[in-house]
Amino acid sequence: MNHDPFIVSPGAKISLKDDYDPSYKAEYHEKAEAKRKLKAGIKELANYQNILYAQNTYALLIILQAMDAAGKDSTIKHVMSGVNPQGCQVFSFQEPSDEELDHDYLWRSMKALPERGRIGIFNRSYYEELLVVRVHPELLEKQQLHYIPHGNQIWQQRFEEINNFEKYLVNNGIVVMKFFLNVSKAEQKKRFLDRIESPEKHWKFSPSDVRERGFWDDYMMAYEDVFNHTSTEYAPWYIIPADRKWFTRLVVSDIICTKLKELNLQYPTVSEEHKLMLLEAKRILEIEDE
């Protein structure tokens, strides 16, 4: 699959409305066709994850950002359905606790970084500091900052800090992959109504979801600024069409598999001494009385 339509080129100035169609589905005209390819991608990802775990050199950090009801949870569920749970960990970042507010804004994310050999998934992330906090700047007052720069200076400062943080991660073998699930406002409304009308989905819905929807344009502006300033060569942003969940899952799976393939992962090689030990163990097992 060609990933160019989804990637934000470093240094580019993009418009979500003009440059990215939430209903885009590339050449896939049939849902069944995409599901077949996703099934193959899940199997491929499971294989790469086994090698990643065995090699124990790299870690993979997957960041998922989106408006409510864009499908983050279901994307994680489907794309990672074949991965060994021992090699994968998921963190969902909600409103910061009092303890977290007593630390810098990256502290809780640093604690949740994946170990070498593992895949870590952030369901929302430190980018909330450039999104929710920007749309609701009164939240800055809760962060006990010693100094709050005027105007947009604080956001420019955080763009730089996050870019430096991600560069540090990449330099230390943590591959950073950032996905924005781009759902349209109309599709979000449809999914909200479905949650309200389906008793088994009531737990997914909160009145605050509708309140935040009222800030849609503000969020789109904040997201665009994030993409324009934090899509880098070492940690680019991918904007994934999210109006069709089946296509969202396929694209995310394909991009992750492609990145893992580029790492040229290999199972660890063993020494000649270790090979001799294996042969001896085999000999002992073969002559063992049954």
Side-chain angles (χ1 to χ4, degrees), residues 65 91-101 103-113 122-129 132-133 143 165:
Q65 290 287 157
F91 289 91
S92 295
F93 293 98
Q94 307 297 329
E95 183 178 346
S97 66
D98 289 341
E99 180 188 18
E100 290 165 344
L101 289 171
H103 292 81
D104 64 273
Y105 69 92
L106 287 173
W107 178 76
R108 63 177 182 168
S109 299
M110 292 179 187
K111 293 202 307 173
L113 290 172
F122 284 1
N123 186 342
R124 302 191 189 277
S125 68
Y126 43 84
Y127 279 100
E128 294 294 283
E129 294 292 332
V132 176
V133 178
Q143 297 188 358
F165 175 60

PDB file of all heavy atoms in Angstrom, residues 65 91-101 103-113 122-129 132-133 143 165:
ATOM      1  N   GLN A  65      -3.982   9.297  18.464  1.00  0.00           N
ATOM      2  CA  GLN A  65      -4.718  10.503  18.839  1.00  0.00           C
ATOM      3  C   GLN A  65      -5.952  10.609  17.942  1.00  0.00           C
ATOM      4  O   GLN A  65      -5.912  10.205  16.775  1.00  0.00           O
ATOM      5  CB  GLN A  65      -3.860  11.749  18.672  1.00  0.00           C
ATOM      6  CG  GLN A  65      -2.724  11.889  19.665  1.00  0.00           C
ATOM      7  CD  GLN A  65      -3.183  12.259  21.063  1.00  0.00           C
ATOM      8  OE1 GLN A  65      -2.491  12.008  22.040  1.00  0.00           O
ATOM      9  NE2 GLN A  65      -4.369  12.850  21.180  1.00  0.00           N
ATOM     10  N   PHE A  91      -1.493   1.869  27.298  1.00  0.00           N
ATOM     11  CA  PHE A  91      -1.777   2.850  28.336  1.00  0.00           C
ATOM     12  C   PHE A  91      -2.771   3.869  27.790  1.00  0.00           C
ATOM     13  O   PHE A  91      -2.587   4.399  26.700  1.00  0.00           O
ATOM     14  CB  PHE A  91      -0.502   3.577  28.785  1.00  0.00           C
ATOM     15  CG  PHE A  91       0.433   2.718  29.586  1.00  0.00           C
ATOM     16  CD1 PHE A  91       1.438   1.994  28.956  1.00  0.00           C
ATOM     17  CD2 PHE A  91       0.303   2.626  30.962  1.00  0.00           C
ATOM     18  CE1 PHE A  91       2.297   1.195  29.687  1.00  0.00           C
ATOM     19  CE2 PHE A  91       1.162   1.825  31.706  1.00  0.00           C
ATOM     20  CZ  PHE A  91       2.158   1.110  31.062  1.00  0.00           C
ATOM     21  N   SER A  92      -3.824   4.113  28.556  1.00  0.00           N
ATOM     22  CA  SER A  92      -4.806   5.137  28.207  1.00  0.00           C
ATOM     23  C   SER A  92      -4.629   6.304  29.159  1.00  0.00           C
ATOM     24  O   SER A  92      -4.753   6.137  30.377  1.00  0.00           O
ATOM     25  CB  SER A  92      -6.225   4.569  28.317  1.00  0.00           C
ATOM     26  OG  SER A  92      -6.431   3.545  27.369  1.00  0.00           O
ATOM     27  N   PHE A  93      -4.321   7.455  28.621  1.00  0.00           N
ATOM     28  CA  PHE A  93      -4.048   8.627  29.445  1.00  0.00           C
ATOM     29  C   PHE A  93      -5.302   9.478  29.591  1.00  0.00           C
ATOM     30  O   PHE A  93      -5.814  10.025  28.610  1.00  0.00           O
ATOM     31  CB  PHE A  93      -2.908   9.445  28.849  1.00  0.00           C
ATOM     32  CG  PHE A  93      -1.582   8.733  28.901  1.00  0.00           C
ATOM     33  CD1 PHE A  93      -1.100   8.056  27.793  1.00  0.00           C
ATOM     34  CD2 PHE A  93      -0.840   8.724  30.067  1.00  0.00           C
ATOM     35  CE1 PHE A  93       0.124   7.387  27.843  1.00  0.00           C
ATOM     36  CE2 PHE A  93       0.388   8.062  30.134  1.00  0.00           C
ATOM     37  CZ  PHE A  93       0.859   7.397  29.013  1.00  0.00           C
ATOM     38  N   GLN A  94      -5.795   9.553  30.807  1.00  0.00           N
ATOM     39  CA  GLN A  94      -6.974  10.347  31.128  1.00  0.00           C
ATOM     40  C   GLN A  94      -6.536  11.676  31.740  1.00  0.00           C
ATOM     41  O   GLN A  94      -5.367  12.055  31.666  1.00  0.00           O
ATOM     42  CB  GLN A  94      -7.877   9.560  32.086  1.00  0.00           C
ATOM     43  CG  GLN A  94      -8.235   8.169  31.584  1.00  0.00           C
ATOM     44  CD  GLN A  94      -9.029   8.182  30.295  1.00  0.00           C
ATOM     45  OE1 GLN A  94      -9.802   9.100  30.035  1.00  0.00           O
ATOM     46  NE2 GLN A  94      -8.859   7.149  29.473  1.00  0.00           N
ATOM     47  N   GLU A  95      -7.450  12.368  32.381  1.00  0.00           N
ATOM     48  CA  GLU A  95      -7.114  13.625  33.053  1.00  0.00           C
ATOM     49  C   GLU A  95      -6.032  13.364  34.101  1.00  0.00           C
ATOM     50  O   GLU A  95      -6.118  12.389  34.854  1.00  0.00           O
ATOM     51  CB  GLU A  95      -8.366  14.190  33.727  1.00  0.00           C
ATOM     52  CG  GLU A  95      -8.148  15.530  34.396  1.00  0.00           C
ATOM     53  CD  GLU A  95      -9.421  16.083  35.009  1.00  0.00           C
ATOM     54  OE1 GLU A  95     -10.511  15.555  34.680  1.00  0.00           O
ATOM     55  OE2 GLU A  95      -9.329  17.030  35.811  1.00  0.00           O
ATOM     56  N   PRO A  96      -4.992  14.183  34.161  1.00  0.00           N
ATOM     57  CA  PRO A  96      -3.888  13.942  35.098  1.00  0.00           C
ATOM     58  C   PRO A  96      -4.352  13.906  36.550  1.00  0.00           C
ATOM     59  O   PRO A  96      -5.227  14.675  36.962  1.00  0.00           O
ATOM     60  CB  PRO A  96      -2.950  15.135  34.863  1.00  0.00           C
ATOM     61  CG  PRO A  96      -3.303  15.637  33.511  1.00  0.00           C
ATOM     62  CD  PRO A  96      -4.755  15.376  33.329  1.00  0.00           C
ATOM     63  N   SER A  97      -3.761  12.992  37.310  1.00  0.00           N
ATOM     64  CA  SER A  97      -4.048  12.896  38.741  1.00  0.00           C
ATOM     65  C   SER A  97      -3.271  13.977  39.489  1.00  0.00           C
ATOM     66  O   SER A  97      -2.417  14.669  38.921  1.00  0.00           O
ATOM     67  CB  SER A  97      -3.628  11.522  39.263  1.00  0.00           C
ATOM     68  OG  SER A  97      -2.208  11.381  39.175  1.00  0.00           O
ATOM     69  N   ASP A  98      -3.546  14.115  40.786  1.00  0.00           N
ATOM     70  CA  ASP A  98      -2.816  15.094  41.597  1.00  0.00           C
ATOM     71  C   ASP A  98      -1.326  14.771  41.611  1.00  0.00           C
ATOM     72  O   ASP A  98      -0.484  15.677  41.549  1.00  0.00           O
ATOM     73  CB  ASP A  98      -3.358  15.100  43.029  1.00  0.00           C
ATOM     74  CG  ASP A  98      -4.742  15.720  43.126  1.00  0.00           C
ATOM     75  OD1 ASP A  98      -5.135  16.455  42.189  1.00  0.00           O
ATOM     76  OD2 ASP A  98      -5.433  15.474  44.135  1.00  0.00           O
ATOM     77  N   GLU A  99      -1.000  13.484  41.693  1.00  0.00           N
ATOM     78  CA  GLU A  99       0.412  13.088  41.685  1.00  0.00           C
ATOM     79  C   GLU A  99       1.078  13.478  40.367  1.00  0.00           C
ATOM     80  O   GLU A  99       2.201  14.003  40.357  1.00  0.00           O
ATOM     81  CB  GLU A  99       0.546  11.582  41.894  1.00  0.00           C
ATOM     82  CG  GLU A  99       2.002  11.107  41.890  1.00  0.00           C
ATOM     83  CD  GLU A  99       2.139   9.599  41.900  1.00  0.00           C
ATOM     84  OE1 GLU A  99       1.150   8.910  41.573  1.00  0.00           O
ATOM     85  OE2 GLU A  99       3.245   9.110  42.212  1.00  0.00           O
ATOM     86  N   GLU A 100       0.381  13.237  39.262  1.00  0.00           N
ATOM     87  CA  GLU A 100       0.947  13.563  37.953  1.00  0.00           C
ATOM     88  C   GLU A 100       1.104  15.065  37.769  1.00  0.00           C
ATOM     89  O   GLU A 100       2.069  15.526  37.142  1.00  0.00           O
ATOM     90  CB  GLU A 100       0.070  12.952  36.865  1.00  0.00           C
ATOM     91  CG  GLU A 100       0.167  11.423  36.816  1.00  0.00           C
ATOM     92  CD  GLU A 100      -0.931  10.767  36.004  1.00  0.00           C
ATOM     93  OE1 GLU A 100      -1.956  11.440  35.721  1.00  0.00           O
ATOM     94  OE2 GLU A 100      -0.783   9.581  35.668  1.00  0.00           O
ATOM     95  N   LEU A 101       0.184  15.833  38.322  1.00  0.00           N
ATOM     96  CA  LEU A 101       0.286  17.288  38.218  1.00  0.00           C
ATOM     97  C   LEU A 101       1.429  17.844  39.051  1.00  0.00           C
ATOM     98  O   LEU A 101       1.860  18.984  38.849  1.00  0.00           O
ATOM     99  CB  LEU A 101      -1.038  17.941  38.638  1.00  0.00           C
ATOM    100  CG  LEU A 101      -2.200  17.762  37.657  1.00  0.00           C
ATOM    101  CD1 LEU A 101      -3.501  18.244  38.280  1.00  0.00           C
ATOM    102  CD2 LEU A 101      -1.931  18.505  36.349  1.00  0.00           C
ATOM    103  N   HIS A 103       4.314  16.671  38.851  1.00  0.00           N
ATOM    104  CA  HIS A 103       5.505  16.439  38.039  1.00  0.00           C
ATOM    105  C   HIS A 103       5.364  17.196  36.712  1.00  0.00           C
ATOM    106  O   HIS A 103       4.320  17.763  36.418  1.00  0.00           O
ATOM    107  CB  HIS A 103       5.677  14.941  37.747  1.00  0.00           C
ATOM    108  CG  HIS A 103       6.022  14.129  38.953  1.00  0.00           C
ATOM    109  ND1 HIS A 103       5.068  13.702  39.855  1.00  0.00           N
ATOM    110  CD2 HIS A 103       7.211  13.655  39.409  1.00  0.00           C
ATOM    111  CE1 HIS A 103       5.654  12.998  40.815  1.00  0.00           C
ATOM    112  NE2 HIS A 103       6.950  12.964  40.563  1.00  0.00           N
ATOM    113  N   ASP A 104       6.423  17.172  35.926  1.00  0.00           N
ATOM    114  CA  ASP A 104       6.345  17.781  34.601  1.00  0.00           C
ATOM    115  C   ASP A 104       5.399  16.974  33.721  1.00  0.00           C
ATOM    116  O   ASP A 104       5.091  15.806  33.996  1.00  0.00           O
ATOM    117  CB  ASP A 104       7.744  17.835  33.975  1.00  0.00           C
ATOM    118  CG  ASP A 104       8.321  16.452  33.729  1.00  0.00           C
ATOM    119  OD1 ASP A 104       8.945  15.883  34.641  1.00  0.00           O
ATOM    120  OD2 ASP A 104       8.104  15.925  32.616  1.00  0.00           O
ATOM    121  N   TYR A 105       4.938  17.582  32.623  1.00  0.00           N
ATOM    122  CA  TYR A 105       3.855  16.982  31.837  1.00  0.00           C
ATOM    123  C   TYR A 105       4.277  15.727  31.077  1.00  0.00           C
ATOM    124  O   TYR A 105       3.427  14.961  30.620  1.00  0.00           O
ATOM    125  CB  TYR A 105       3.253  18.010  30.873  1.00  0.00           C
ATOM    126  CG  TYR A 105       4.140  18.444  29.725  1.00  0.00           C
ATOM    127  CD1 TYR A 105       4.102  17.791  28.497  1.00  0.00           C
ATOM    128  CD2 TYR A 105       5.008  19.530  29.850  1.00  0.00           C
ATOM    129  CE1 TYR A 105       4.888  18.188  27.440  1.00  0.00           C
ATOM    130  CE2 TYR A 105       5.797  19.943  28.797  1.00  0.00           C
ATOM    131  CZ  TYR A 105       5.740  19.276  27.594  1.00  0.00           C
ATOM    132  OH  TYR A 105       6.537  19.683  26.540  1.00  0.00           O
ATOM    133  N   LEU A 106       5.584  15.484  30.938  1.00  0.00           N
ATOM    134  CA  LEU A 106       6.035  14.272  30.255  1.00  0.00           C
ATOM    135  C   LEU A 106       6.292  13.114  31.219  1.00  0.00           C
ATOM    136  O   LEU A 106       6.527  11.988  30.783  1.00  0.00           O
ATOM    137  CB  LEU A 106       7.316  14.562  29.460  1.00  0.00           C
ATOM    138  CG  LEU A 106       7.145  15.401  28.190  1.00  0.00           C
ATOM    139  CD1 LEU A 106       8.509  15.743  27.603  1.00  0.00           C
ATOM    140  CD2 LEU A 106       6.290  14.676  27.166  1.00  0.00           C
ATOM    141  N   TRP A 107       6.224  13.378  32.505  1.00  0.00           N
ATOM    142  CA  TRP A 107       6.617  12.388  33.512  1.00  0.00           C
ATOM    143  C   TRP A 107       5.826  11.098  33.395  1.00  0.00           C
ATOM    144  O   TRP A 107       6.381   9.998  33.364  1.00  0.00           O
ATOM    145  CB  TRP A 107       6.450  12.995  34.916  1.00  0.00           C
ATOM    146  CG  TRP A 107       6.779  12.061  36.044  1.00  0.00           C
ATOM    147  CD1 TRP A 107       8.021  11.698  36.462  1.00  0.00           C
ATOM    148  CD2 TRP A 107       5.851  11.408  36.912  1.00  0.00           C
ATOM    149  NE1 TRP A 107       7.931  10.848  37.549  1.00  0.00           N
ATOM    150  CE2 TRP A 107       6.604  10.661  37.842  1.00  0.00           C
ATOM    151  CE3 TRP A 107       4.452  11.393  37.007  1.00  0.00           C
ATOM    152  CZ2 TRP A 107       6.009   9.893  38.837  1.00  0.00           C
ATOM    153  CZ3 TRP A 107       3.862  10.622  38.004  1.00  0.00           C
ATOM    154  CH2 TRP A 107       4.638   9.884  38.903  1.00  0.00           C
ATOM    155  N   ARG A 108       4.498  11.198  33.322  1.00  0.00           N
ATOM    156  CA  ARG A 108       3.698   9.978  33.313  1.00  0.00           C
ATOM    157  C   ARG A 108       3.899   9.183  32.020  1.00  0.00           C
ATOM    158  O   ARG A 108       3.764   7.959  32.015  1.00  0.00           O
ATOM    159  CB  ARG A 108       2.220  10.307  33.522  1.00  0.00           C
ATOM    160  CG  ARG A 108       1.553  11.157  32.440  1.00  0.00           C
ATOM    161  CD  ARG A 108       0.081  11.320  32.749  1.00  0.00           C
ATOM    162  NE  ARG A 108      -0.649  12.085  31.750  1.00  0.00           N
ATOM    163  CZ  ARG A 108      -1.978  12.148  31.699  1.00  0.00           C
ATOM    164  NH1 ARG A 108      -2.697  11.507  32.598  1.00  0.00           N
ATOM    165  NH2 ARG A 108      -2.581  12.856  30.763  1.00  0.00           N
ATOM    166  N   SER A 109       4.229   9.864  30.933  1.00  0.00           N
ATOM    167  CA  SER A 109       4.506   9.163  29.681  1.00  0.00           C
ATOM    168  C   SER A 109       5.851   8.449  29.741  1.00  0.00           C
ATOM    169  O   SER A 109       5.984   7.333  29.231  1.00  0.00           O
ATOM    170  CB  SER A 109       4.498  10.149  28.512  1.00  0.00           C
ATOM    171  OG  SER A 109       3.234  10.761  28.376  1.00  0.00           O
ATOM    172  N   MET A 110       6.827   9.086  30.357  1.00  0.00           N
ATOM    173  CA  MET A 110       8.139   8.452  30.491  1.00  0.00           C
ATOM    174  C   MET A 110       8.031   7.141  31.272  1.00  0.00           C
ATOM    175  O   MET A 110       8.672   6.139  30.934  1.00  0.00           O
ATOM    176  CB  MET A 110       9.114   9.396  31.199  1.00  0.00           C
ATOM    177  CG  MET A 110       9.502  10.623  30.398  1.00  0.00           C
ATOM    178  SD  MET A 110      10.623  11.687  31.347  1.00  0.00           S
ATOM    179  CE  MET A 110      10.736  13.119  30.280  1.00  0.00           C
ATOM    180  N   LYS A 111       7.191   7.138  32.312  1.00  0.00           N
ATOM    181  CA  LYS A 111       7.021   5.936  33.122  1.00  0.00           C
ATOM    182  C   LYS A 111       6.394   4.793  32.336  1.00  0.00           C
ATOM    183  O   LYS A 111       6.559   3.625  32.697  1.00  0.00           O
ATOM    184  CB  LYS A 111       6.139   6.226  34.336  1.00  0.00           C
ATOM    185  CG  LYS A 111       6.734   7.159  35.366  1.00  0.00           C
ATOM    186  CD  LYS A 111       6.054   6.962  36.714  1.00  0.00           C
ATOM    187  CE  LYS A 111       4.553   7.067  36.599  1.00  0.00           C
ATOM    188  NZ  LYS A 111       3.864   6.726  37.864  1.00  0.00           N
ATOM    189  N   ALA A 112       5.666   5.136  31.282  1.00  0.00           N
ATOM    190  CA  ALA A 112       4.916   4.127  30.536  1.00  0.00           C
ATOM    191  C   ALA A 112       5.613   3.691  29.248  1.00  0.00           C
ATOM    192  O   ALA A 112       5.049   2.920  28.480  1.00  0.00           O
ATOM    193  CB  ALA A 112       3.531   4.680  30.208  1.00  0.00           C
ATOM    194  N   LEU A 113       6.822   4.157  29.012  1.00  0.00           N
ATOM    195  CA  LEU A 113       7.519   3.805  27.771  1.00  0.00           C
ATOM    196  C   LEU A 113       7.766   2.295  27.695  1.00  0.00           C
ATOM    197  O   LEU A 113       8.040   1.656  28.708  1.00  0.00           O
ATOM    198  CB  LEU A 113       8.849   4.546  27.683  1.00  0.00           C
ATOM    199  CG  LEU A 113       8.769   6.054  27.445  1.00  0.00           C
ATOM    200  CD1 LEU A 113      10.145   6.687  27.575  1.00  0.00           C
ATOM    201  CD2 LEU A 113       8.170   6.356  26.073  1.00  0.00           C
ATOM    202  N   PHE A 122       0.087   4.074  23.222  1.00  0.00           N
ATOM    203  CA  PHE A 122      -0.491   5.172  23.991  1.00  0.00           C
ATOM    204  C   PHE A 122      -1.838   5.537  23.371  1.00  0.00           C
ATOM    205  O   PHE A 122      -1.896   6.055  22.247  1.00  0.00           O
ATOM    206  CB  PHE A 122       0.417   6.402  23.967  1.00  0.00           C
ATOM    207  CG  PHE A 122       1.631   6.305  24.863  1.00  0.00           C
ATOM    208  CD1 PHE A 122       1.890   5.167  25.613  1.00  0.00           C
ATOM    209  CD2 PHE A 122       2.526   7.368  24.960  1.00  0.00           C
ATOM    210  CE1 PHE A 122       3.005   5.078  26.434  1.00  0.00           C
ATOM    211  CE2 PHE A 122       3.643   7.300  25.778  1.00  0.00           C
ATOM    212  CZ  PHE A 122       3.879   6.145  26.513  1.00  0.00           C
ATOM    213  N   ASN A 123      -2.912   5.249  24.087  1.00  0.00           N
ATOM    214  CA  ASN A 123      -4.248   5.649  23.677  1.00  0.00           C
ATOM    215  C   ASN A 123      -4.464   7.059  24.228  1.00  0.00           C
ATOM    216  O   ASN A 123      -4.816   7.237  25.380  1.00  0.00           O
ATOM    217  CB  ASN A 123      -5.279   4.668  24.236  1.00  0.00           C
ATOM    218  CG  ASN A 123      -6.677   4.925  23.731  1.00  0.00           C
ATOM    219  OD1 ASN A 123      -6.984   6.001  23.224  1.00  0.00           O
ATOM    220  ND2 ASN A 123      -7.541   3.945  23.881  1.00  0.00           N
ATOM    221  N   ARG A 124      -4.241   8.041  23.398  1.00  0.00           N
ATOM    222  CA  ARG A 124      -3.972   9.433  23.773  1.00  0.00           C
ATOM    223  C   ARG A 124      -2.570   9.476  24.389  1.00  0.00           C
ATOM    224  O   ARG A 124      -1.997   8.448  24.721  1.00  0.00           O
ATOM    225  CB  ARG A 124      -5.027  10.017  24.711  1.00  0.00           C
ATOM    226  CG  ARG A 124      -6.449   9.980  24.138  1.00  0.00           C
ATOM    227  CD  ARG A 124      -7.392  10.814  24.990  1.00  0.00           C
ATOM    228  NE  ARG A 124      -8.781  10.654  24.619  1.00  0.00           N
ATOM    229  CZ  ARG A 124      -9.391  11.299  23.636  1.00  0.00           C
ATOM    230  NH1 ARG A 124      -8.676  12.155  22.900  1.00  0.00           N
ATOM    231  NH2 ARG A 124     -10.652  11.103  23.372  1.00  0.00           N
ATOM    232  N   SER A 125      -2.029  10.659  24.536  1.00  0.00           N
ATOM    233  CA  SER A 125      -0.619  10.732  24.922  1.00  0.00           C
ATOM    234  C   SER A 125      -0.286  12.119  25.449  1.00  0.00           C
ATOM    235  O   SER A 125      -1.174  12.924  25.757  1.00  0.00           O
ATOM    236  CB  SER A 125       0.246  10.441  23.686  1.00  0.00           C
ATOM    237  OG  SER A 125       0.116  11.506  22.742  1.00  0.00           O
ATOM    238  N   TYR A 126       1.021  12.401  25.499  1.00  0.00           N
ATOM    239  CA  TYR A 126       1.483  13.723  25.915  1.00  0.00           C
ATOM    240  C   TYR A 126       1.036  14.810  24.938  1.00  0.00           C
ATOM    241  O   TYR A 126       1.131  16.000  25.257  1.00  0.00           O
ATOM    242  CB  TYR A 126       3.011  13.739  26.060  1.00  0.00           C
ATOM    243  CG  TYR A 126       3.772  13.038  24.954  1.00  0.00           C
ATOM    244  CD1 TYR A 126       4.077  13.682  23.769  1.00  0.00           C
ATOM    245  CD2 TYR A 126       4.209  11.724  25.116  1.00  0.00           C
ATOM    246  CE1 TYR A 126       4.786  13.053  22.762  1.00  0.00           C
ATOM    247  CE2 TYR A 126       4.912  11.070  24.126  1.00  0.00           C
ATOM    248  CZ  TYR A 126       5.204  11.732  22.949  1.00  0.00           C
ATOM    249  OH  TYR A 126       5.904  11.098  21.951  1.00  0.00           O
ATOM    250  N   TYR A 127       0.536  14.421  23.776  1.00  0.00           N
ATOM    251  CA  TYR A 127       0.033  15.429  22.838  1.00  0.00           C
ATOM    252  C   TYR A 127      -1.249  16.088  23.325  1.00  0.00           C
ATOM    253  O   TYR A 127      -1.638  17.150  22.815  1.00  0.00           O
ATOM    254  CB  TYR A 127      -0.174  14.815  21.453  1.00  0.00           C
ATOM    255  CG  TYR A 127       1.121  14.737  20.679  1.00  0.00           C
ATOM    256  CD1 TYR A 127       1.834  13.550  20.587  1.00  0.00           C
ATOM    257  CD2 TYR A 127       1.645  15.876  20.074  1.00  0.00           C
ATOM    258  CE1 TYR A 127       3.041  13.491  19.900  1.00  0.00           C
ATOM    259  CE2 TYR A 127       2.845  15.828  19.383  1.00  0.00           C
ATOM    260  CZ  TYR A 127       3.546  14.638  19.301  1.00  0.00           C
ATOM    261  OH  TYR A 127       4.746  14.599  18.630  1.00  0.00           O
ATOM    262  N   GLU A 128      -1.893  15.486  24.328  1.00  0.00           N
ATOM    263  CA  GLU A 128      -3.052  16.153  24.927  1.00  0.00           C
ATOM    264  C   GLU A 128      -2.660  17.523  25.492  1.00  0.00           C
ATOM    265  O   GLU A 128      -3.497  18.422  25.601  1.00  0.00           O
ATOM    266  CB  GLU A 128      -3.631  15.287  26.047  1.00  0.00           C
ATOM    267  CG  GLU A 128      -4.223  13.967  25.577  1.00  0.00           C
ATOM    268  CD  GLU A 128      -5.461  14.157  24.715  1.00  0.00           C
ATOM    269  OE1 GLU A 128      -6.534  14.436  25.279  1.00  0.00           O
ATOM    270  OE2 GLU A 128      -5.353  14.035  23.477  1.00  0.00           O
ATOM    271  N   GLU A 129      -1.389  17.676  25.846  1.00  0.00           N
ATOM    272  CA  GLU A 129      -0.896  18.953  26.367  1.00  0.00           C
ATOM    273  C   GLU A 129      -0.897  20.049  25.303  1.00  0.00           C
ATOM    274  O   GLU A 129      -0.802  21.235  25.627  1.00  0.00           O
ATOM    275  CB  GLU A 129       0.519  18.778  26.911  1.00  0.00           C
ATOM    276  CG  GLU A 129       0.615  17.877  28.124  1.00  0.00           C
ATOM    277  CD  GLU A 129      -0.048  18.478  29.350  1.00  0.00           C
ATOM    278  OE1 GLU A 129      -0.092  19.724  29.444  1.00  0.00           O
ATOM    279  OE2 GLU A 129      -0.517  17.709  30.214  1.00  0.00           O
ATOM    280  N   VAL A 132      -6.046  19.307  24.237  1.00  0.00           N
ATOM    281  CA  VAL A 132      -7.052  19.640  25.255  1.00  0.00           C
ATOM    282  C   VAL A 132      -6.644  20.884  26.031  1.00  0.00           C
ATOM    283  O   VAL A 132      -7.456  21.791  26.268  1.00  0.00           O
ATOM    284  CB  VAL A 132      -7.266  18.455  26.212  1.00  0.00           C
ATOM    285  CG1 VAL A 132      -8.229  18.848  27.327  1.00  0.00           C
ATOM    286  CG2 VAL A 132      -7.815  17.249  25.456  1.00  0.00           C
ATOM    287  N   VAL A 133      -5.388  20.923  26.429  1.00  0.00           N
ATOM    288  CA  VAL A 133      -4.925  22.055  27.238  1.00  0.00           C
ATOM    289  C   VAL A 133      -4.920  23.338  26.415  1.00  0.00           C
ATOM    290  O   VAL A 133      -5.166  24.430  26.949  1.00  0.00           O
ATOM    291  CB  VAL A 133      -3.527  21.761  27.825  1.00  0.00           C
ATOM    292  CG1 VAL A 133      -3.021  22.966  28.617  1.00  0.00           C
ATOM    293  CG2 VAL A 133      -3.572  20.531  28.723  1.00  0.00           C
ATOM    294  N   GLN A 143      -1.452  23.077  36.551  1.00  0.00           N
ATOM    295  CA  GLN A 143      -0.180  22.394  36.370  1.00  0.00           C
ATOM    296  C   GLN A 143       0.942  22.955  37.240  1.00  0.00           C
ATOM    297  O   GLN A 143       2.073  22.491  37.163  1.00  0.00           O
ATOM    298  CB  GLN A 143       0.216  22.416  34.886  1.00  0.00           C
ATOM    299  CG  GLN A 143      -0.787  21.649  34.018  1.00  0.00           C
ATOM    300  CD  GLN A 143      -0.317  21.481  32.589  1.00  0.00           C
ATOM    301  OE1 GLN A 143       0.749  21.948  32.180  1.00  0.00           O
ATOM    302  NE2 GLN A 143      -1.117  20.797  31.790  1.00  0.00           N
ATOM    303  N   PHE A 165      12.224  15.292  22.850  1.00  0.00           N
ATOM    304  CA  PHE A 165      11.931  14.057  23.579  1.00  0.00           C
ATOM    305  C   PHE A 165      11.847  12.869  22.612  1.00  0.00           C
ATOM    306  O   PHE A 165      12.445  11.808  22.852  1.00  0.00           O
ATOM    307  CB  PHE A 165      10.617  14.226  24.335  1.00  0.00           C
ATOM    308  CG  PHE A 165      10.128  12.996  25.043  1.00  0.00           C
ATOM    309  CD1 PHE A 165      10.898  12.380  26.026  1.00  0.00           C
ATOM    310  CD2 PHE A 165       8.889  12.452  24.742  1.00  0.00           C
ATOM    311  CE1 PHE A 165      10.439  11.248  26.685  1.00  0.00           C
ATOM    312  CE2 PHE A 165       8.420  11.329  25.396  1.00  0.00           C
ATOM    313  CZ  PHE A 165       9.200  10.715  26.369  1.00  0.00           C
TER     314      PHE A 165
END
